[in-house]
mmCIF file with all atom_site columns, all heavy atoms in Angstrom:
data_model
loop_
_atom_site.group_PDB
_atom_site.id
_atom_site.type_symbol
_atom_site.label_atom_id
_atom_site.label_alt_id
_atom_site.label_comp_id
_atom_site.label_asym_id
_atom_site.label_entity_id
_atom_site.label_seq_id
_atom_site.pdbx_PDB_ins_code
_atom_site.Cartn_x
_atom_site.Cartn_y
_atom_site.Cartn_z
_atom_site.occupancy
_atom_site.B_iso_or_equiv
_atom_site.pdbx_formal_charge
_atom_site.auth_seq_id
_atom_site.auth_comp_id
_atom_site.auth_asym_id
_atom_site.auth_atom_id
_atom_site.pdbx_PDB_model_num
ATOM 1   N N   . THR A 1 28 ? 7.156   0.970  -5.806  1.00 48.00 ? 28 THR A N   1
ATOM 2   C CA  . THR A 1 28 ? 8.160   1.553  -6.701  1.00 48.00 ? 28 THR A CA  1
ATOM 3   C C   . THR A 1 28 ? 7.859   1.137  -8.128  1.00 48.00 ? 28 THR A C   1
ATOM 4   O O   . THR A 1 28 ? 7.045   0.247  -8.373  1.00 48.00 ? 28 THR A O   1
ATOM 5   C CB  . THR A 1 28 ? 9.580   1.096  -6.324  1.00 48.00 ? 28 THR A CB  1
ATOM 6   O OG1 . THR A 1 28 ? 9.637   -0.335 -6.416  1.00 48.00 ? 28 THR A OG1 1
ATOM 7   C CG2 . THR A 1 28 ? 9.933   1.523  -4.906  1.00 48.00 ? 28 THR A CG2 1
ATOM 8   N N   . GLY A 1 29 ? 8.520   1.789  -9.037  1.00 49.00 ? 29 GLY A N   1
ATOM 9   C CA  . GLY A 1 29 ? 8.371   1.421  -10.433 1.00 49.00 ? 29 GLY A CA  1
ATOM 10  C C   . GLY A 1 29 ? 7.239   2.115  -11.140 1.00 49.00 ? 29 GLY A C   1
ATOM 11  O O   . GLY A 1 29 ? 7.064   1.926  -12.324 1.00 49.00 ? 29 GLY A O   1
ATOM 12  N N   . SER A 1 30 ? 6.471   2.916  -10.423 1.00 60.00 ? 30 SER A N   1
ATOM 13  C CA  . SER A 1 30 ? 5.352   3.624  -11.055 1.00 60.00 ? 30 SER A CA  1
ATOM 14  C C   . SER A 1 30 ? 5.537   5.114  -10.891 1.00 60.00 ? 30 SER A C   1
ATOM 15  O O   . SER A 1 30 ? 6.062   5.576  -9.876  1.00 60.00 ? 30 SER A O   1
ATOM 16  C CB  . SER A 1 30 ? 4.035   3.214  -10.412 1.00 60.00 ? 30 SER A CB  1
ATOM 17  O OG  . SER A 1 30 ? 3.791   1.852  -10.595 1.00 60.00 ? 30 SER A OG  1
ATOM 18  N N   . THR A 1 31 ? 5.126   5.846  -11.865 1.00 76.00 ? 31 THR A N   1
ATOM 19  C CA  . THR A 1 31 ? 5.153   7.297  -11.753 1.00 76.00 ? 31 THR A CA  1
ATOM 20  C C   . THR A 1 31 ? 3.769   7.839  -12.066 1.00 76.00 ? 31 THR A C   1
ATOM 21  O O   . THR A 1 31 ? 3.036   7.264  -12.875 1.00 76.00 ? 31 THR A O   1
ATOM 22  C CB  . THR A 1 31 ? 6.177   7.909  -12.724 1.00 76.00 ? 31 THR A CB  1
ATOM 23  O OG1 . THR A 1 31 ? 5.893   7.475  -14.043 1.00 76.00 ? 31 THR A OG1 1
ATOM 24  C CG2 . THR A 1 31 ? 7.598   7.529  -12.339 1.00 76.00 ? 31 THR A CG2 1
ATOM 25  N N   . TYR A 1 32 ? 3.425   8.933  -11.459 1.00 85.00 ? 32 TYR A N   1
ATOM 26  C CA  . TYR A 1 32 ? 2.093   9.498  -11.600 1.00 85.00 ? 32 TYR A CA  1
ATOM 27  C C   . TYR A 1 32 ? 2.169   10.974 -11.266 1.00 85.00 ? 32 TYR A C   1
ATOM 28  O O   . TYR A 1 32 ? 3.109   11.448 -10.634 1.00 85.00 ? 32 TYR A O   1
ATOM 29  C CB  . TYR A 1 32 ? 1.116   8.779  -10.677 1.00 85.00 ? 32 TYR A CB  1
ATOM 30  C CG  . TYR A 1 32 ? 1.753   8.214  -9.434  1.00 85.00 ? 32 TYR A CG  1
ATOM 31  C CD1 . TYR A 1 32 ? 2.007   9.019  -8.339  1.00 85.00 ? 32 TYR A CD1 1
ATOM 32  C CD2 . TYR A 1 32 ? 2.107   6.863  -9.371  1.00 85.00 ? 32 TYR A CD2 1
ATOM 33  C CE1 . TYR A 1 32 ? 2.612   8.510  -7.214  1.00 85.00 ? 32 TYR A CE1 1
ATOM 34  C CE2 . TYR A 1 32 ? 2.713   6.342  -8.252  1.00 85.00 ? 32 TYR A CE2 1
ATOM 35  C CZ  . TYR A 1 32 ? 2.965   7.160  -7.168  1.00 85.00 ? 32 TYR A CZ  1
ATOM 36  O OH  . TYR A 1 32 ? 3.566   6.640  -6.056  1.00 85.00 ? 32 TYR A OH  1
ATOM 37  N N   . GLY A 1 33 ? 1.155   11.678 -11.694 1.00 91.00 ? 33 GLY A N   1
ATOM 38  C CA  . GLY A 1 33 ? 1.095   13.098 -11.391 1.00 91.00 ? 33 GLY A CA  1
ATOM 39  C C   . GLY A 1 33 ? 0.943   13.321 -9.899  1.00 91.00 ? 33 GLY A C   1
ATOM 40  O O   . GLY A 1 33 ? 0.347   12.523 -9.194  1.00 91.00 ? 33 GLY A O   1
ATOM 41  N N   . MET A 1 34 ? 1.501   14.428 -9.420  1.00 93.00 ? 34 MET A N   1
ATOM 42  C CA  . MET A 1 34 ? 1.422   14.746 -8.003  1.00 93.00 ? 34 MET A CA  1
ATOM 43  C C   . MET A 1 34 ? 1.150   16.232 -7.835  1.00 93.00 ? 34 MET A C   1
ATOM 44  O O   . MET A 1 34 ? 1.419   17.037 -8.721  1.00 93.00 ? 34 MET A O   1
ATOM 45  C CB  . MET A 1 34 ? 2.701   14.344 -7.276  1.00 93.00 ? 34 MET A CB  1
ATOM 46  C CG  . MET A 1 34 ? 2.978   12.859 -7.353  1.00 93.00 ? 34 MET A CG  1
ATOM 47  S SD  . MET A 1 34 ? 4.337   12.309 -6.322  1.00 93.00 ? 34 MET A SD  1
ATOM 48  C CE  . MET A 1 34 ? 3.572   12.397 -4.701  1.00 93.00 ? 34 MET A CE  1
ATOM 49  N N   . GLY A 1 35 ? 0.574   16.562 -6.696  1.00 95.00 ? 35 GLY A N   1
ATOM 50  C CA  . GLY A 1 35 ? 0.230   17.949 -6.458  1.00 95.00 ? 35 GLY A CA  1
ATOM 51  C C   . GLY A 1 35 ? 0.371   18.332 -5.001  1.00 95.00 ? 35 GLY A C   1
ATOM 52  O O   . GLY A 1 35 ? 0.517   17.470 -4.131  1.00 95.00 ? 35 GLY A O   1
ATOM 53  N N   . TRP A 1 36 ? 0.317   19.620 -4.769  1.00 97.00 ? 36 TRP A N   1
ATOM 54  C CA  . TRP A 1 36 ? 0.268   20.186 -3.429  1.00 97.00 ? 36 TRP A CA  1
ATOM 55  C C   . TRP A 1 36 ? -0.986  21.031 -3.295  1.00 97.00 ? 36 TRP A C   1
ATOM 56  O O   . TRP A 1 36 ? -1.304  21.836 -4.178  1.00 97.00 ? 36 TRP A O   1
ATOM 57  C CB  . TRP A 1 36 ? 1.494   21.063 -3.167  1.00 97.00 ? 36 TRP A CB  1
ATOM 58  C CG  . TRP A 1 36 ? 2.777   20.313 -2.957  1.00 97.00 ? 36 TRP A CG  1
ATOM 59  C CD1 . TRP A 1 36 ? 3.716   20.034 -3.902  1.00 97.00 ? 36 TRP A CD1 1
ATOM 60  C CD2 . TRP A 1 36 ? 3.256   19.749 -1.735  1.00 97.00 ? 36 TRP A CD2 1
ATOM 61  N NE1 . TRP A 1 36 ? 4.744   19.320 -3.347  1.00 97.00 ? 36 TRP A NE1 1
ATOM 62  C CE2 . TRP A 1 36 ? 4.503   19.143 -2.014  1.00 97.00 ? 36 TRP A CE2 1
ATOM 63  C CE3 . TRP A 1 36 ? 2.772   19.705 -0.427  1.00 97.00 ? 36 TRP A CE3 1
ATOM 64  C CZ2 . TRP A 1 36 ? 5.251   18.503 -1.032  1.00 97.00 ? 36 TRP A CZ2 1
ATOM 65  C CZ3 . TRP A 1 36 ? 3.519   19.072 0.539   1.00 97.00 ? 36 TRP A CZ3 1
ATOM 66  C CH2 . TRP A 1 36 ? 4.742   18.472 0.238   1.00 97.00 ? 36 TRP A CH2 1
ATOM 67  N N   . PHE A 1 37 ? -1.676  20.840 -2.201  1.00 98.00 ? 37 PHE A N   1
ATOM 68  C CA  . PHE A 1 37 ? -2.822  21.643 -1.853  1.00 98.00 ? 37 PHE A CA  1
ATOM 69  C C   . PHE A 1 37 ? -2.579  22.222 -0.462  1.00 98.00 ? 37 PHE A C   1
ATOM 70  O O   . PHE A 1 37 ? -1.696  21.765 0.262   1.00 98.00 ? 37 PHE A O   1
ATOM 71  C CB  . PHE A 1 37 ? -4.104  20.793 -1.846  1.00 98.00 ? 37 PHE A CB  1
ATOM 72  C CG  . PHE A 1 37 ? -4.586  20.431 -3.221  1.00 98.00 ? 37 PHE A CG  1
ATOM 73  C CD1 . PHE A 1 37 ? -3.930  19.511 -3.999  1.00 98.00 ? 37 PHE A CD1 1
ATOM 74  C CD2 . PHE A 1 37 ? -5.743  21.019 -3.741  1.00 98.00 ? 37 PHE A CD2 1
ATOM 75  C CE1 . PHE A 1 37 ? -4.369  19.184 -5.280  1.00 98.00 ? 37 PHE A CE1 1
ATOM 76  C CE2 . PHE A 1 37 ? -6.212  20.687 -5.002  1.00 98.00 ? 37 PHE A CE2 1
ATOM 77  C CZ  . PHE A 1 37 ? -5.517  19.768 -5.765  1.00 98.00 ? 37 PHE A CZ  1
ATOM 78  N N   . ARG A 1 38 ? -3.386  23.206 -0.098  1.00 98.00 ? 38 ARG A N   1
ATOM 79  C CA  . ARG A 1 38 ? -3.266  23.747 1.249   1.00 98.00 ? 38 ARG A CA  1
ATOM 80  C C   . ARG A 1 38 ? -4.650  24.112 1.771   1.00 98.00 ? 38 ARG A C   1
ATOM 81  O O   . ARG A 1 38 ? -5.569  24.372 1.005   1.00 98.00 ? 38 ARG A O   1
ATOM 82  C CB  . ARG A 1 38 ? -2.350  24.973 1.282   1.00 98.00 ? 38 ARG A CB  1
ATOM 83  C CG  . ARG A 1 38 ? -2.860  26.182 0.510   1.00 98.00 ? 38 ARG A CG  1
ATOM 84  C CD  . ARG A 1 38 ? -1.796  27.261 0.458   1.00 98.00 ? 38 ARG A CD  1
ATOM 85  N NE  . ARG A 1 38 ? -2.256  28.457 -0.234  1.00 98.00 ? 38 ARG A NE  1
ATOM 86  C CZ  . ARG A 1 38 ? -1.501  29.498 -0.532  1.00 98.00 ? 38 ARG A CZ  1
ATOM 87  N NH1 . ARG A 1 38 ? -0.194  29.484 -0.204  1.00 98.00 ? 38 ARG A NH1 1
ATOM 88  N NH2 . ARG A 1 38 ? -1.996  30.537 -1.149  1.00 98.00 ? 38 ARG A NH2 1
ATOM 89  N N   . GLN A 1 39 ? -4.739  24.140 3.086   1.00 98.00 ? 39 GLN A N   1
ATOM 90  C CA  . GLN A 1 39 ? -6.010  24.489 3.725   1.00 98.00 ? 39 GLN A CA  1
ATOM 91  C C   . GLN A 1 39 ? -5.726  25.336 4.943   1.00 98.00 ? 39 GLN A C   1
ATOM 92  O O   . GLN A 1 39 ? -5.054  24.888 5.883   1.00 98.00 ? 39 GLN A O   1
ATOM 93  C CB  . GLN A 1 39 ? -6.789  23.239 4.102   1.00 98.00 ? 39 GLN A CB  1
ATOM 94  C CG  . GLN A 1 39 ? -8.191  23.529 4.592   1.00 98.00 ? 39 GLN A CG  1
ATOM 95  C CD  . GLN A 1 39 ? -9.059  22.284 4.657   1.00 98.00 ? 39 GLN A CD  1
ATOM 96  O OE1 . GLN A 1 39 ? -8.578  21.166 4.697   1.00 98.00 ? 39 GLN A OE1 1
ATOM 97  N NE2 . GLN A 1 39 ? -10.365 22.503 4.648   1.00 98.00 ? 39 GLN A NE2 1
ATOM 98  N N   . ALA A 1 40 ? -6.238  26.542 4.904   1.00 96.00 ? 40 ALA A N   1
ATOM 99  C CA  . ALA A 1 40 ? -6.141  27.455 6.041   1.00 96.00 ? 40 ALA A CA  1
ATOM 100 C C   . ALA A 1 40 ? -7.380  27.285 6.918   1.00 96.00 ? 40 ALA A C   1
ATOM 101 O O   . ALA A 1 40 ? -8.420  26.831 6.441   1.00 96.00 ? 40 ALA A O   1
ATOM 102 C CB  . ALA A 1 40 ? -6.023  28.887 5.542   1.00 96.00 ? 40 ALA A CB  1
#
Side-chain angles (χ1 to χ4, degrees):
T28 59
S30 298
T31 55
Y32 29 81
M34 299 189 74
W36 287 95
F37 286 72
R38 65 188 182 186
Q39 188 167 20

